[in-house]
């Protein structure tokens, strides 16, 4: 075991040095950015030691770094990049909207068009509003729940991620908004039932991802999610499904696959057609509180809430790309790919496994020692990048539409080669 860990450590150091040798321009870009941004970073999730790649361009499912290396992109902008990196139809939609003028200081037809499309897809959404990010959508959904129920307590789950100030990877993060959160174990209905028994009359909402995305693609069990529905029904709390990632699982999101209708749904990422986007919606009686003609309306302002370019791109995306057929096919491709990955991993000794749903999944290293898990995943990540495959350092993979059969098959073969070499030298 000592020998094993030693091999892993020295191989990791060698792989990291190889990364540095191959990517000097990314190092230079990082050093430059660090002079004006803390750590050269403006988006924490992109950070990976020793420094992340500086990507200069992308096309279809491929990206190119500052040193000219091409990678097949299996990350797909942390699930937002479902369309790939170039999409002529989105480009046309954006150009057309831009030509017609943007920043028009009022409503434009695009926003009602997009709202109609989304409301038609999600049975949980009678009325909705747009925002600028998934984070903001969740903030507004929670705010609505608190104001509508007159209660303060919010149930969320360990490992959950609902945005930069709603992050529960390690309990209630210091950066989070100062709401009263009960952070409970995910997929543990008993714990939630106990919480409701103790404080049900103070709980405004349960905010849950049908699959915890940033938490490592941990899938919610149908019994757990259905149980949350029942507990909320019995206590008058609102059930909020955060479908910022899982909306791609079906035209009506993961909730359609599960057959569970939450009171409110939050959306983001793909429905902006590649631009910054968020939306929250739900039952008419809840959402009607935002009607500004109402004397006691809940205000929700935002310069870019109805940004014409975002609305136009989102509309094009929903009408012509995120079609039921395309989403179903992507879901199936993801299921097959995840199974194939797991088959390769177990055939090669079981040092890794993959969890997920449809086209979103996460590779995990298997080992008792967390340090070994971390180093194994880092090593696999370096090895795959060296061979031209890009996914998140934390193991996240999100398939995009242009990522084809050939790319997926090559990824699997390359993985086999890497795993076999790693086993031979006791790295994995
Ligand atoms: C499930 C979930 N909710 C909310 C968010 C926050 O969305 P945004 O990054 O657009 O603020 C994310 C982002 O990754 C997410 O995965």
């Amino acid at each position: 075991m000592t020998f094993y860990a030693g091999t892993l450590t020295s191989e990791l150091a060698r792989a990291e040095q190889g990364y540095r040798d191959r990517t000097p321009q990314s190092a230079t870009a990082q050093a430059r950015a660090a002079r004006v941004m803390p750590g050269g970073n403006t988006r924490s999730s992109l950070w990976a030691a020793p420094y992340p790649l500086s990507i200069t361009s992308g096309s279809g499912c491929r990206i190119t770094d500052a040193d000219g290396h091409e990678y097949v992109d299996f990350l797909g902008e942390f699930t937002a990049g479902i369309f790939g990196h170039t999409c002529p139809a989105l480009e046309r939609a954006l150009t057309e909207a831009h030509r017609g003028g943007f920043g028009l200081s009022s409503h434009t037809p695009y926003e009602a068009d997009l709202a109609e499309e989304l409301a038609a897809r999600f049975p949980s959404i009678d009325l909705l509003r747009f925002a600028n990010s998934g984070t903001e959508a969740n903030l507004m959904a929670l705010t609505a729940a608190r104001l509508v129920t007159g209660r303060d307590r919010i149930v969320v789950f360990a490992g959950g991620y609902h945005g930069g100030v709603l992050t529960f990877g390690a309990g209630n993060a210091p950066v989070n908004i100062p709401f009263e959160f009960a952070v409970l174990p995910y997929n543990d209905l008993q714990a939630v039932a106990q919480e409701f028994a103790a404080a049900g009359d103070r709980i405004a909402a349960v905010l849950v991802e049908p699959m915890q995305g940033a938490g490592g693609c941990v899938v919610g069990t149908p019994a757990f999610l259905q149980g949350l529905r029942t507990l909320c029904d019995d206590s008058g709390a609102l059930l909020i499904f955060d479908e910022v990632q899982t909306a791609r699982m079906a035209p009506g999101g993961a909730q359609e696959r599960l057959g569970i209708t939450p009171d409110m749904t939050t959306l983001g990422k793909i429905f902006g057609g590649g631009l910054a986007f968020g939306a929250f919606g739900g039952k008419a009686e809840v959402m009607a509180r935002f009607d500004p003609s109402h004397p006691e309306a809940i205000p929700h302002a935002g310069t870019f809430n109805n940004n014409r370019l975002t609305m136009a791109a989102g509309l094009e995306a929903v009408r012509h790309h995120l079609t039921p057929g395309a989403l179903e096919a992507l879901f199936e491709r993801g299921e097959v790919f995840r199974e194939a990955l797991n088959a390769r991993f177990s055939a090669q000794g079981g040092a890794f496994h993959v969890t997920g749903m449809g086209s979103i999944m996460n590779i995990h290293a298997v080992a008792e020692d967390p340090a070994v898990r971390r180093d194994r995943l880092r090593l696999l990540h370096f090895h795959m990048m060296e061979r031209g495959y890009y996914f998140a350092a934390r193991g996240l993979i999100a398939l995009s539409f242009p990522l084809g059969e050939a790319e997926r098959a090559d990824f699997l073969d390359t993985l086999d080669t890497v795993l076999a070499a790693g086993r031979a030298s006791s790295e994995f």
Side-chain angles (χ1 to χ4, degrees):
M1 187 62 198
T2 314
F3 166 73
Y4 180 85
T7 306
L8 181 58
T9 309
S10 61
E11 269 313 300
L12 186 54
R14 195 199 58 77
E16 181 174 323
Q17 189 54 51
Y19 175 82
R20 288 180 188 275
D21 294 344
R22 278 193 319 280
T23 60
Q25 293 302 331
S26 287
T28 304
Q30 163 76 17
R32 175 190 164 209
R35 289 198 281 273
V36 280
M37 291 187 281
N41 181 277
T42 189
R43 186 178 169 195
S44 303
S45 42
L46 295 184
W47 170 252
Y51 49 82
L53 287 178
S54 175
I55 302 296
T56 50
S57 66
S59 176
C61 65
R62 289 181 157 71
I63 52 178
T64 305
D65 75 11
D67 288 283
H69 306 297
E70 193 177 86
Y71 305 84
V72 184
D73 181 11
F74 276 75
L75 179 50
E77 187 58 311
F78 292 76
T79 78
I82 197 170
F83 315 101
H85 303 297
T86 40
C87 176
L90 285 173
E91 189 182 335
R92 274 196 301 279
L94 279 165
T95 305
E96 196 182 308
H98 192 277
R99 283 210 184 107
F102 61 95
L104 299 181
S105 317
S106 194
H107 296 285
T108 78
Y110 283 119
E111 64 214 56
D113 286 344
L114 182 56
E116 276 172 6
E117 295 281 351
L118 295 179
R121 285 179 175 226
F122 292 85
S124 60
I125 298 183
D126 298 330
L127 299 170
L128 69 146
R129 293 177 71 87
F130 295 115
N132 298 283
S133 65
T135 305
E136 201 188 325
N138 282 312
L139 289 173
M140 291 312 299
L142 290 180
T143 300
R146 291 170 87 237
L147 293 174
V148 166
T149 61
R151 304 172 180 179
D152 283 335
R153 202 164 165 81
I154 311 279
V155 172
V156 290
F157 297 97
Y161 181 77
H162 305 284
V165 289
L166 290 165
T167 169
F168 303 95
N172 191 0
V175 74
N176 283 350
I177 51 162
F179 280 11
E180 183 188 329
F181 290 114
V183 187
L184 305 180
Y186 190 64
N187 272 336
D188 185 344
L189 190 58
Q190 183 74 17
V192 191
Q194 277 167 8
E195 167 68 22
F196 269 90
D201 58 346
R202 295 201 299 112
I203 297 173
V206 175
L207 175 60
V208 64
E209 297 160 87
M211 173 186 75
Q212 289 193 326
C217 295
V218 182
V219 181
T221 65
F224 171 67
L225 296 166
Q226 184 58 56
L228 298 182
R229 176 66 283 173
T230 307
L231 287 168
C232 286
D233 283 341
D234 293 348
S235 74
L238 299 187
L239 179 62
I240 307 173
F241 271 13
D242 177 343
E243 293 239 37
V244 169
Q245 282 204 19
T246 55
R248 62 159 66 186
M249 299 303 166
Q255 58 193 262
E256 180 183 320
R257 283 197 176 272
L258 288 157
I260 301 171
T261 307
D263 300 299
M264 298 190 78
T265 299
T266 57
L267 304 171
K269 298 192 189 276
I270 58 176
F271 292 119
L275 279 72
F277 178 83
F280 61 102
K283 288 183 172 164
E285 63 261 35
V286 175
M287 292 303 294
R289 289 285 301 273
F290 286 94
D291 176 350
S293 65
H294 194 280
E296 285 167 15
I298 304 172
H300 167 228
T303 305
F304 289 104
N305 283 358
N306 65 334
N307 182 270
R308 202 169 123 94
L309 300 181
T310 310
M311 297 292 117
L315 191 60
E316 168 68 26
V318 173
R319 283 193 177 154
H320 303 295
H321 304 272
L322 303 170
T323 58
L327 290 177
E328 186 57 41
L330 189 66
F331 183 91
E332 283 309 318
R333 281 205 287 284
E335 291 285 298
V336 170
F337 188 62
R338 193 181 71 248
E339 274 167 31
L341 282 173
N342 270 330
R344 306 274 171 137
F345 283 141
S346 41
Q348 293 277 9
F352 299 91
H353 79 118
V354 194
T355 58
M357 187 198 292
S359 56
I360 304 178
M361 61 204 81
N362 208 103
I363 299 175
H364 305 268
V366 181
E368 256 177 48
D369 183 345
V372 173
R373 284 206 296 275
R374 184 201 57 213
D375 287 355
R376 262 191 195 164
L377 188 56
R378 282 195 74 209
L379 187 55
L380 182 71
H381 188 242
F382 281 131
H383 279 327
M384 291 302 283
M385 275 202 293
E386 187 181 347
R387 289 158 181 80
Y389 294 94
Y390 189 69
F391 56 89
R394 70 175 193 237
L396 177 69
I397 287 176
L399 304 186
S400 63
F401 289 137
L403 197 59
E405 176 64 41
E407 285 88 8
R408 295 194 305 280
D410 288 349
F411 183 102
L412 291 170
D413 289 346
T414 304
L415 188 71
D416 253 351
T417 311
V418 165
L419 292 172
R423 285 181 85 197
S425 61
S426 306
E427 293 162 32
F428 297 138

